[in-house]
């Protein structure tokens, strides 16, 4: 049975598939003999800010095992720390690193942008009720035919304790549609590279090219 509204899950089914994000009613009413396609507390890994906070907490305890995630700040909570550590007044509040900013509950690439400008980050926070994460952008990613890509793998988690995970044999490889040009880090605010030098878009212009940086096919 597929549930798309807040219907009572006490019905004659074995598996309850829920497509809505508010799940408290379902967890309260689900029967012991029923399975539901969510675990309580999944928001702690499904929302970007909470995932970043949990990864950082685990990194402090297990620094070797949790060094795979880029440096991440939850905004606006960590805005002061981000500003003091990476945006200095003598550089006009420009960071020498490129940052990728993502809305906490966003999807399909909406609201994501790359920047070195603190005012741009503060403006996005001021215009939205959403929280954000700011991650240091990986400037030298792996490429396929000079294009960024990601792998989307699908798993079925049937138990958390003990942890039991089944990996589906097929997955997706998603590619950008525009060749990747490494965004400028450090140097002048305009990126220090021009189309005349590279034969392509300059690095500063490329910073705003979502089709070169975001692999989501909705973009």
């Amino acid at each position: 049975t597929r549930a798309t509204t807040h219907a009572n899950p006490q019905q004659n089914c074995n598996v309850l598939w829920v497509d809505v994000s508010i799940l408290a009613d379902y967890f309260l009413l689900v029967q012991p003999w029923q399975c539901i396609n969510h675990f309580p507390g999944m928001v702690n890994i499904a929302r970007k800010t909470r995932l970043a906070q949990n990864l950082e907490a685990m990194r402090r305890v297990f620094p070797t095992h949790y060094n795979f995630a880029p440096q991440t700040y939850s905004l606006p909570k960590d805005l002061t720390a981000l500003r003091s550590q990476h945006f200095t007044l003598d550089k006009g509040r420009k960071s020498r690193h490129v940052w990728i900013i993502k809305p906490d509950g966003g999807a399909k690439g909406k609201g994501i942008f790359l920047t070195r400008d603190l005012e741009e980050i503060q403006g996005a926070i001021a215009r939205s009720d959403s929280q954000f994460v700011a991650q240091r952008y990986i400037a030298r990613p792996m490429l396929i035919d000079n294009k960024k890509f990601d792998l989307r793998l699908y798993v079925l988690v049937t138990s958390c304790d003990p942890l039991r995970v089944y990996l589906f044999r097929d997955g997706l490889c998603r590619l950008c549609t525009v060749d990747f040009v490494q965004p400028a880090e450090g140097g002048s605010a305009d990126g220090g590279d021009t189309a005349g030098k590279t034969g392509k878009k300059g690095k500063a212009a490329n910073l705003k090219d979502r089709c070169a940086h975001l692999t989501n096919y909705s973009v």
Side-chain angles (χ1 to χ4, degrees), residues 38-87:
H38 293 271
F39 288 103
M42 282 190 63
V43 67
N44 288 294
I45 60 173
R47 290 285 185 168
K48 298 179 181 67
T49 53
R50 294 196 189 185
L51 176 61
Q53 292 162 6
N54 288 321
L55 285 175
E56 183 57 33
M58 296 298 288
R59 194 207 308 265
R60 289 195 293 268
V61 181
F62 306 105
T64 302
H65 293 87
Y66 281 83
N67 63 354
F68 56 84
Q71 189 174 20
T72 307
Y73 294 85
S74 299
L75 305 177
K77 183 176 73 72
D78 296 334
L79 182 60
T80 299
L82 175 67
R83 180 174 57 232
S84 62
Q85 294 171 17
H86 298 285
F87 293 85

